[in-house]
Amino acid sequence: MNKIEIVGYQRANLGRTESQAIRAEGNVPCVLYGGQEQVHFYAPAILFRDLIYTPNIFEVALNIEGTEYRAVLQESQFHPVSDVLLHADFLLVTDKKPIKIAVPVRLIGTAPGVQQGGKLVIRVRKLRVKGNLENIPDFIDVDVSTLELGKSVRVGQIPIKNIEMLEEATNPVASIEIPRALRSATGAVAGK
């Protein structure tokens, strides 16, 4: 798994006014959950660029005034108009406790249905899984090399090891749609 470091500073006061002052200085208020107690801190917004604006998942090395924590980004909140990062929640990672995280999907192979004129549609970009951090893959590979026109790959068909899939097994991940022009051409041939 990719790793990234974020250096933060303890928050003395909590509340809306303090959070607004932190944001005005170019920082992001954050919380670390999952330990004995919650850790409230802030970090410069620039440090979140590589963590937030990518489909990849990261193990985050949080350095909060010299105390280091292993964590993963659990949730981030953005301003509805300006898209500025307003708040970030981190989950503490330990060797004993499994975590829940959304892992990006990566399609591999060439679908025969696409070569026949169909359109490959990705239904799900990330899949939620549960497991120890060491077992969580960077991507979940979905093989589409057997997909014909009108067929789908479902969650239950994806082979995974050492982690538990939290998605419904019948949910489609990727499918080959038949374009309208191809449907009418095959319907005209079938009608003759």
Side-chain angles (χ1 to χ4, degrees), residues 11-26:
R11 287 174 60 183
N13 299 320
L14 303 177
R16 173 182 277 179
T17 307
E18 181 70 21
S19 294
Q20 288 174 341
I22 287 171
R23 289 185 194 107
E25 295 171 355

Side-chain angles (χ1 to χ4, degrees), residues 75-128:
E75 186 175 342
S76 50
Q77 297 169 357
F78 296 91
H79 190 277
V81 176
S82 64
D83 243 8
V84 172
L85 181 63
L86 295 178
H87 185 82
D89 290 339
F90 292 90
L91 179 64
L92 184 68
V93 174
T94 61
D95 294 332
K96 300 173 188 170
K97 193 165 106 179
I99 61 168
K100 295 177 183 176
I101 194 165
V103 179
V105 170
R106 180 171 60 184
L107 302 181
I108 55 172
T110 303
V114 171
Q115 295 172 338
Q116 297 166 356
K119 179 180 178 186
L120 179 62
V121 178
I122 301 172
R123 304 278 182 202
V124 179
R125 300 239 176 238
K126 291 188 173 187
L127 294 170
R128 292 177 304 121

Side-chain angles (χ1 to χ4, degrees), residues 116 149 178-192:
Q116 297 166 356
L149 287 171
I178 304 170
R180 184 179 302 157
L182 192 57
R183 261 189 265 147
S184 63
T186 56
V189 171
K192 287 186 179 180

Side-chain angles (χ1 to χ4, degrees), residues 108-155:
I108 55 172
T110 303
V114 171
Q115 295 172 338
Q116 297 166 356
K119 179 180 178 186
L120 179 62
V121 178
I122 301 172
R123 304 278 182 202
V124 179
R125 300 239 176 238
K126 291 188 173 187
L127 294 170
R128 292 177 304 121
V129 298
K130 179 180 177 182
N132 291 336
L133 186 65
E134 296 76 31
N135 297 331
I136 305 282
D138 289 335
F139 296 97
I140 295 179
D141 289 329
V142 177
D143 186 10
V144 295
S145 61
T146 60
L147 282 185
E148 299 288 340
L149 287 171
K151 301 296 181 186
S152 307
V153 174
R154 301 195 181 277
V155 172

